[in-house]
Structure formats: structure tokens, C-alpha cells
Amino acid sequence: MPELPDPLARTALWTASMRAREHDRPDRLFCDPLARVLAGDEGLAIMRGFEGDVQDGVEDPALAVRTRFFDDALARIVKDGNIRQIVLVAAGMDTRALRMRWPGGTTMYELDRPGLLNLKDQLISAQAAEPACRRILVGADLTADWTAPLLDAGLDPGTSTAWLAEGLLYFLSASQRDTLLHELTGLSDQGSWLMADYVGQASIDSPAMCAWRESMASRGHAWRSGCDDPGSWLETFGWHATVTGYGEPGADYGRWAGAEVAPGVAGTRGRYLVIASRGG
Ligand SMILES: C[S@@+](CC[C@H](N)C(=O)[O-])C[C@H]1O[C@@H](n2cnc3c(N)ncnc32)[C@H](O)[C@@H]1O
């Protein structure tokens, strides 16, 4: 597998590796048969290295829970609403376009760094895997001009959109995050949806998170922001949010009771899942 120079892009191999592990469980929360190929040996090495160094071998269930949570949310939104355009913001090695069922006429845009998307495209083409909707890759830097490439690729801002920013916000500074949200909102017609996972700032700053923080920073993917009141934050941009903590009803899936991310460090750590809507 070609080397990905961007350390943040490499986190996509890591999350793919966690999805591959989940796929192999007899009680899996979702199927992702391409995840192993997309993660490659590097994804496996990053996952094992991080869990070994920081978590003393403990497997954090957050990735499996959040994947299933957003699978369910997306399926509900396209079924109940009129949404036929979905944007995976920082798609990484996400394979939802291929592994889920989508109504006819659905288009999924996958936004991420061009190098990562090229690699993903090569790996998926080699598996001869076919998407279940129209799938459009849009290479862009989310801290620069990403809206023009997305519009050029065909996104219609006059139609409702479902946005999913999974595994992204904490890697952005607060100002980059706010700019992204402002731009994204500008492309969101009434009836649009926004989904994201995020973490509380107080939790990031807490002493219990010190080892985690330092390890992430030393690998080139520091957590740079959090938010203790996501409902109010999103409200200022015109979104009405429902915030669910991991382990709460709807975000447990039988995996969370007593979850730890390391011995003695409770799993939740202020992490949560957001589903927000805009007017409509
Ligand atoms: C942890 S991965 C998450 C990928 C996928 N959403 C998932 O949950 O598996 C973070 C992703 O954010 C992307 N990313 C981070 N900063 C970015 C930026 N400035 N522009 C484009 N993509 C970025 C990385 O390339 C990487 O694919």
C-alpha cells in the first residue's frame, strides 16, 4: 500500500482497522467487508500501537458504537425524509456507499484529502466492489476552499443534504471548526441534517486524558478542540441538535456498560454523538 504522508489521513487507516475487527466479531454491530483491505497493515499497526501504549490493551468500543449509531441515523433520515444527497465530510475509508442500501437517486459525496481518496479508489477498484448509490469522490482540504470543489462535483445547495462529520471535529482548531460549520451551513437548505461525533473541552483538558492527549500529539494527530455545550454551539449556526452521550439509550448497543478506554479511565470521557436538523 502506498505511504500516506499526512498523519491525519493515516487516522483513517486506524478507524478502518477498528471496523475490520468489529466486522470479524460474531456479534458485530455492522458489516464492513472491505475494511480490512482499506486499513492495510499500517492501520492494524496504528491500532495495536495506540491500544498497547495508551490503553494497556483495552479495546475502546466507541468506534463500533458510533459507526452503528450513524448507520441507523442515516438510514432513518433517508427513509423518513426526502434526502437524496449525503456528504461524508472527512470520509476516510468509510464504505457506507457500498455496504448500506440506498434509495434510487441517492448521491453520496466523499470529501477528504486527495491522496487518501486516490488510495481508497485504487483499493476498492481492485476488489471490484460496486457502490449502492451514485458515489462521487471530492479531494479537498477542509481547512481551505472545499465548497467550490463540492459544488463543482454536483452538490445542489437548493436541496436538503445529510452531512456526516465523523472522526473529524477534534482534529480541527475551534476556529477551523467554526469556519467549516459556517461554510457547511451555507450549503444546507431547510430540512438538512448534520451528524457528528465530538468531545467535551473539559474532558480533553482533564488530567485523566493526559496520556491520551500526549500520545495523539506525538503521532501527529493532536486533538485540538472540544465543546462542552454542543447544543448551544450548533444553535448559533441555526441547527437544532440532539446530543447523545456514549452509553446512553440509543448509543449503547450492549457494548457500553462499564466501558473503559484504559484501565481505570471511564469510556465516556465527555464524548458524544450529535444529530442536528435545520428548519424544514
Ligand atoms: C479519524 S479519520 C475519520 C475518517 C472516517 N470519517 C471514519 O470515521 O473512519 C479523520 C479523517 O479526517 C481527514 N481530515 C482531517 N483533516 C482534514 C482536512 N483538513 N482536509 C481533509 N480531510 C481531513 C483525514 O484525512 C481522515 O480521513
Side-chain angles (χ1 to χ4, degrees), residues 79-224:
K79 180 166 172 280
D80 297 347
N82 212 8
I83 304 260
R84 293 295 176 265
Q85 52 183 12
I86 300 167
V87 182
L88 302 180
V89 186
M93 294 301 189
D94 188 314
T95 59
R96 286 187 174 92
L98 298 104
R99 67 179 177 78
M100 290 177 66
R101 289 167 186 264
W102 300 105
T106 301
T107 302
M108 189 172 292
Y109 298 90
E110 300 188 8
L111 262 173
D112 209 298
R113 298 257 187 211
L116 178 94
L117 292 178
N118 288 340
L119 173 63
K120 181 179 186 180
D121 202 32
Q122 282 169 32
L123 294 169
I124 288 181
S125 299
Q127 300 299 309
E130 292 295 329
C133 60
R134 196 158 154 255
R135 174 171 174 256
I136 299 181
L137 307 185
V138 185
D141 179 351
L142 291 163
T143 60
D145 181 16
W146 58 273
T147 56
L150 184 58
L151 291 168
D152 288 348
L155 185 93
D156 176 6
T159 306
S160 314
T161 301
W163 305 88
L164 173 59
E166 188 182 10
L168 173 69
L169 295 180
Y170 24 77
F171 294 126
L172 303 178
S173 67
S175 103
Q176 288 171 335
R177 167 202 77 186
D178 286 350
T179 302
L180 179 85
L181 193 61
H182 174 71
E183 292 166 339
L184 178 159
T185 304
L187 298 181
S188 300
D189 198 15
Q190 298 295 303
S192 292
W193 293 85
L194 169 62
M195 288 152 277
D197 63 315
Y198 209 10
V199 62
Q201 186 64 50
S203 173
I204 294 184
D205 294 340
S206 70
M209 285 292 290
C210 193
W212 176 287
R213 262 195 328 262
E214 284 174 4
S215 182
M216 292 292 276
S218 73
R219 289 168 159 82
H221 23 85
W223 277 10
R224 302 180 67 203

